[in-house]
Amino acid sequence: MSNTTTATPDAAATPDAAATPQPGAITQPGAIAPAAAAAAASATATAATAAADADRAGRIETHGADFIPEDERRGRPRELFWVWMSANVIYLYFVVGGVLMLLGLPVWEALLITVLGNLWWAAVGLLAISGPVSGTPSVAIMRAMFGIRGSRVFGAGLGVAIGIFYEIINIAFATLAALALVAQIGIVLPAGAEWGVLVVVAALSFVIGIYGHATILKLAPYFSAALAVVFIVLAVFVFGAADLSYAPAPLEPGEHWAMLLLGFAIVASSPLSWGTGADYARYLPTDVSKRRVALWTALGGFIPAIFIGTLGVVAGTAIDMTDPQLTIAEIVPAWFTPVFLAMIVLSSITNNVLVAYSTGLYAQGLGFRMPRALTVVVTGAAATAAAAWLLFIAPSFLDALNSSLELAVTVLGPLVAVYAVDILLRRNRYDGRALTDERQGSPFWYRGGVFWPGVIAMVGATTTAVLMANTTLYVGPISEALGGADLSAIVGPLLAGGLYAVLWLTTPPYRDPAARPAASDARTADGTADRTADRTAEARTQEVPA
């Protein structure tokens, strides 16, 4: 599916037209060839300009969920670090760290869970390496694991739902902080003005996502630096006020384990929500270092998540983390409170930039023939309406947030696991042009547009994870039988990945070992894969049985 604008060439840009004498024209010997050459050169220059304009900072990106040609690829893997850092230097991690303390966990256990839960960023880095190889976003790559039709439910459908969910969270956080900031500086808003604040925050959240990839890449380092400075200053105040003798009330052994597992599920939900690594790596050249793509992507999320999550845990020893945007004033100077609130607003907006961008791509994967920029607007409007309900109508924002994060992992974990296992099984070989071919009988049509191994793995693992979940509003029967232990963040991904691998190897076309990517794996002396063998293996991998 292409989202690029097709220009109709005029006579001046067409070599044949330039080379053909017009009626009544006087031509000189040797004049036709130079005219044709000049016209051809002009057409080439025009095409190059159009390619460059497809993704330029300050202009609306024209590419969407389509294939990015090699001549439009550029950049280096380390740029991904700033993209991911700008989206993850956020207030949400501070809140999550505080939630671990509200669960009644000792400091050292809360810190350990913060690290273990965020190890899922390694999986996000792995998913990113599929971008340069395919030249397509994650929503297109998921057609390989679910089929053209199946991916509209388990790839694009889930992606839109997950994206809108996190857009709602970001809009809500930013709106609450903006209202608190306005009150902090002494401005009294008239009744109903809070709705206007929400609309302004939402508009700021989505405008950069509308402009797209190059603009995000350009602004990311500046956002990262500004937010990092605020959090470093906050760290000075938090550690200065920390209660090193803090000890929570002891929990019963069964309840203790239940809280540990619940905390792990909450922390893991953040990295597991980013099954979109290819979206920001697809503009890199095909031959870029995949290890560096994975490393810079993972570090861009892992480092701020660990640092800010730790601040939330430590702050929980000194203040009530039920509403940290208000209680933070107890441990920071008066001048820093407005800075802290402004940081919440900015960080929520920068996180929404990436979320909105990927959600727009997912929406295109549903099959709607809309430009990427328009899908960002539509999904953003839906998220804004939902955020308004959550903030101004729903009974408790924090309870709703915790329950949503706890349940989100039951879907996010299996989805990331299936994606990661597919990369490993295919040896990261994806034909981007084939992935964007949605016609019946295309390479990834499989049977009836569905690849059943992916669908079965998702349904089975998600159902099992839901039965194992333990949230504020819902306790699954398996979790209840285990004394409240929530194993959804562990069993869900393991079951999904294992089941998908078994079914992938025993389902056509991969039931035939000769059709698997490794079957024709010819290697050159320096260890790199021979490109001809790669193309042959890829063609056989996509073979659809009669």
Side-chain angles (χ1 to χ4, degrees):
M1 176 172 58
S2 175
N3 192 38
T4 53
T5 303
T6 303
T8 303
D10 56 21
T14 307
D16 289 343
T20 303
Q22 299 300 313
I26 300 176
T27 60
Q28 299 294 328
I32 294 178
S42 175
T44 302
T46 300
T49 301
D53 288 344
D55 183 44
R56 177 182 293 182
R59 297 190 180 185
I60 294 178
E61 178 190 2
T62 57
H63 279 300
D66 54 330
F67 171 75
I68 308 298
E70 191 67 36
D71 59 358
E72 296 183 37
R73 313 273 193 95
R74 58 190 179 278
R76 297 180 180 181
R78 66 169 176 263
E79 295 172 347
L80 296 172
F81 175 80
W82 298 111
V83 170
W84 287 98
M85 187 172 178
S86 69
N88 285 282
V89 184
I90 54 173
Y91 174 63
L92 176 61
Y93 294 132
F94 190 74
V95 173
V96 169
V99 167
L100 296 180
M101 302 304 288
L102 294 175
L103 294 178
L105 300 176
V107 173
W108 75 270
E109 290 183 348
L111 293 175
L112 179 62
I113 289 175
T114 298
V115 174
L116 294 178
N118 280 300
L119 289 179
W120 279 110
W121 280 106
V124 179
L126 174 63
L127 304 191
I129 69 174
S130 60
V133 169
S134 67
T136 61
S138 293
V139 67
I141 297 169
M142 288 181 183
R143 292 166 184 159
M145 55 206 78
F146 299 116
I148 301 298
R149 286 177 171 169
S151 69
R152 291 176 182 170
V153 176
F154 295 95
L158 285 178
V160 169
I162 293 167
I164 290 178
F165 167 66
Y166 277 93
E167 287 177 4
I168 293 170
I169 292 175
N170 285 320
I171 293 171
F173 274 147
T175 301
L176 288 173
L179 291 172
L181 177 60
V182 168
Q184 183 75 24
I185 60 180
I187 298 177
V188 179
L189 295 176
E194 64 271 13
W195 294 82
V197 172
L198 181 142
V199 171
V200 171
V201 165
L204 293 174
S205 295
F206 300 119
V207 65
I208 299 176
I210 290 172
Y211 275 91
H213 174 266
T215 302
I216 294 172
L217 213 65
K218 185 76 172 180
L219 296 177
Y222 301 103
F223 287 143
S224 300
L227 293 169
V229 168
V230 176
F231 272 108
I232 290 171
V233 174
L234 175 63
V236 174
F237 299 131
V238 168
F239 281 99
D243 181 3
L244 301 179
S245 63
Y246 173 84
L251 300 172
E252 294 294 330
E255 185 181 6
H256 187 191
W257 277 106
M259 292 301 101
L260 284 171
L261 292 170
L262 177 58
F264 177 80
I266 293 174
V267 174
S269 66
S270 293
L272 286 174
S273 68
W274 290 107
T276 56
D279 296 4
Y280 314 102
R282 75 192 198 278
Y283 275 97
L284 293 174
T286 303
D287 59 356
V288 72
S289 168
K290 306 307 182 292
R291 289 184 180 180
R292 292 183 179 180
V293 169
L295 178 65
W296 289 118
T297 297
L299 289 179
F302 181 79
I303 291 175
I306 293 296
F307 177 70
I308 300 172
T310 297
L311 289 185
V313 170
V314 175
T317 67
I319 61 174
D320 179 7
M321 291 297 287
T322 303
D323 192 0
Q325 73 177 22
L326 295 179
T327 57
I328 195 70
E330 299 174 13
I331 60 174
V332 301
W335 64 265
F336 187 75
T337 301
V339 176
F340 179 76
L341 294 172
M343 176 275 298
I344 297 175
V345 176
L346 180 59
S347 66
S348 300
I349 289 174
T350 57
N351 185 266
N352 242 11
V353 169
L354 262 65
V355 175
Y357 181 76
S358 289
T359 304
L361 294 175
Y362 273 124
Q364 284 191 311
L366 291 172
F368 297 120
R369 302 294 175 178
M370 290 193 297
R372 181 202 56 78
L374 182 57
T375 60
V376 172
V377 173
V378 172
T379 54
T384 302
W389 175 85
L390 186 64
L391 282 176
F392 306 131
I393 301 174
S396 174
F397 168 63
L398 190 60
D399 287 346
L401 171 63
N402 286 342
S403 298
S404 300
L405 289 175
E406 293 157 10
L407 275 176
V409 75
T410 62
V411 177
L412 300 174
L415 185 62
V416 168
V418 168
Y419 193 161
V421 170
D422 192 78
I423 290 174
L424 297 176
L425 290 171
R426 295 179 192 274
R427 304 178 67 85
N428 195 33
R429 291 174 178 168
Y430 296 99
D431 184 336
R433 295 187 185 277
L435 286 166
T436 56
D437 184 355
E438 300 181 64
R439 296 172 298 177
Q440 185 172 348
S442 61
F444 294 102
W445 185 260
Y446 299 112
R447 288 190 179 275
V450 177
F451 189 47
W452 288 106
V455 172
I456 293 172
M458 275 298 299
V459 172
T462 299
T463 301
T464 303
V466 169
L467 296 176
M468 290 183 164
N470 180 356
T471 74
T472 308
L473 302 178
Y474 163 82
V475 180
I478 297 179
S479 176
E480 191 170 1
L482 295 174
D486 185 338
L487 297 172
S488 59
I490 299 173
V491 174
L494 291 176
L495 179 60
L499 185 58
Y500 181 67
V502 171
L503 293 175
W504 192 93
L505 293 168
T506 57
T507 302
Y510 313 112
R511 182 170 57 197
D512 176 10
R516 299 173 191 170
S520 302
D521 190 16
R523 298 282 171 178
T524 59
D526 62 357
T528 57
D530 179 77
R531 293 188 180 275
T532 302
D534 282 354
R535 287 193 292 269
T536 302
E538 178 66 22
R540 299 181 74 179
T541 299
Q542 297 165 6
E543 186 178 310
V544 180

